[in-house]
Amino acid sequence: MNPSERSMQMRYASHISWANTKDRSARTEAARKASHHTRFITKARELHPDATETQIAEIAESLRKAHYTELAFRSAQARRVKGQQARAAKQKRVEAELSAAKGSKPAA
């Protein structure tokens, strides 16, 4: 079976599985409990055990924003480094091509 057929087969199986699921909420409950959101609430409660639920929600939101800001920052750094490496490699190729072109020209 090629990858395209395998993908269609798996998509078909997924649709059939969801068609046979009467309580979608119950089926996805474990995933919702393990979601990133609960991770931030748990961390907020660890940091501030005496906080109210409203305060916990605000702290969790700040933790979530900090997390995604850090991911964006790391991504930007990685893109910058990758771009610098690509520019350096291109510069080396151009220099090598120029050197090769100068070396292959007949003397006038």
Side-chain angles (χ1 to χ4, degrees):
M1 189 177 316
N2 68 35
S4 178
E5 291 171 337
R6 176 96 174 123
S7 176
M8 283 194 283
Q9 182 184 35
M10 297 307 294
R11 205 172 3 198
Y12 170 76
S14 175
H15 288 303
I16 293 298
S17 176
W18 280 107
N20 291 325
T21 301
K22 290 181 183 175
D23 188 356
R24 289 175 175 237
S25 180
R27 180 173 171 176
T28 60
E29 184 176 4
R32 285 193 316 277
K33 284 184 179 178
S35 74
H36 284 290
H37 180 69
T38 52
R39 182 178 108 198
F40 299 123
I41 289 183
T42 302
K43 182 68 172 174
R45 286 194 175 117
E46 288 173 8
L47 293 172
H48 304 280
D50 299 331
T52 66
E53 285 304 310
T54 303
Q55 291 170 326
I56 293 293
E58 290 171 354
I59 294 164
E61 181 64 13
S62 291
L63 289 169
R64 184 188 69 77
K65 286 179 180 180
H67 172 73
Y68 285 108
T69 300
E70 180 182 18
L71 290 179
F73 176 66
R74 288 182 180 185
S75 175
Q77 284 180 319
R79 287 191 310 274
R80 178 180 45 80
V81 168
K82 186 175 179 180
Q84 288 171 341
Q85 290 171 343
R87 284 188 294 279
K90 183 177 181 179
Q91 183 65 32
K92 283 184 178 181
R93 281 193 312 272
V94 168
E95 289 172 358
E97 288 173 7
L98 288 174
S99 293
K102 285 181 183 178
S104 66
K105 284 186 180 178

